[in-house]
Amino acid sequence: MCVLMYVAGFISATVLLIGISEWQRKKRRRKRAAERQSGKSPERKRVKIDTYVKAATSIVLAHGLVMVTMSYVLAWFEKDAVVDVSTTLITEIVAPLCLYMGTNCIMNIFEKNKLSFSEPIQMQKVREVWNKVHEDMEDETGGNAAG
């Protein structure tokens, strides 16, 4: 009886999720069609896993989520104590995610903002001297200083 209820719940959840995704897809199509008629070009932002850190974090999170699910399946069959296994696995999920978010936050702060301590104090003077020397070299060679 329990297995039958589990299967019924799984099927109903799957049907519900498919219905919600179809509803969202139709909503996005209507929005795109309205933007095309108004002359606006829709900007698509897709999540890109283009760095090693993103890929590694995604793999660790997926592995952790699968293992947490399996630990509860084992508990349902009364095969193992869930508390220790789940605690370890939740740590496996939460720690990389927090580390990734923290590193990205710090990286974005330094990348996107120009902070007073981001540049050396003498950098403006070095730039002025470099530009002057580079301009003088271009004048002497009649073009590119390197070639």
Side-chain angles (χ1 to χ4, degrees):
M1 186 66 177
C2 288
V3 173
L4 185 63
M5 290 174 57
Y6 178 77
V7 169
F10 180 78
I11 291 172
S12 63
T14 304
V15 168
L16 179 69
L17 288 174
I18 290 172
I20 289 173
S21 67
E22 286 296 321
W23 174 71
Q24 288 176 342
R25 187 176 297 137
K26 287 179 183 177
K27 187 177 174 182
R28 283 192 301 264
R29 284 182 188 161
R30 278 186 257 131
K31 185 178 178 181
R32 280 190 220 130
E35 286 176 348
R36 276 189 222 121
Q37 289 176 355
S38 67
K40 293 181 182 177
S41 62
E43 292 182 22
R44 293 185 182 181
K45 280 196 171 186
R46 293 188 181 195
V47 176
K48 293 182 184 178
I49 300 178
D50 55 352
T51 62
Y52 172 76
V53 178
K54 286 181 183 179
T57 304
S58 301
I59 290 170
V60 167
L61 288 176
H63 178 261
L65 290 173
V66 167
M67 296 311 292
V68 166
T69 303
M70 290 301 124
S71 72
Y72 283 106
V73 168
L74 285 174
W76 188 60
F77 287 122
E78 298 174 2
K79 298 286 183 186
D80 196 14
V82 168
V83 177
D84 297 331
V85 176
S86 292
T87 305
T88 305
L89 292 172
I90 293 296
T91 305
E92 179 187 343
I93 293 171
V94 171
L97 188 61
C98 290
L99 182 66
Y100 176 70
M101 288 175 16
T103 4
N104 264 359
C105 180
I106 292 170
M107 188 171 65
N108 284 339
I109 288 173
F110 286 105
E111 217 174 81
K112 310 262 186 220
N113 299 321
K114 193 162 192 161
L115 304 173
S116 61
F117 57 86
S118 297
E119 267 188 46
I121 297 173
Q122 300 295 325
M123 195 61 186
Q124 185 63 30
K125 292 179 184 176
V126 170
R127 271 198 200 120
E128 289 173 3
V129 170
W130 171 260
N131 288 338
K132 186 174 187 254
V133 168
H134 191 66
E135 286 173 4
D136 290 343
M137 288 174 71
E138 282 181 359
D139 291 341
E140 289 175 8
T141 60
N144 191 356

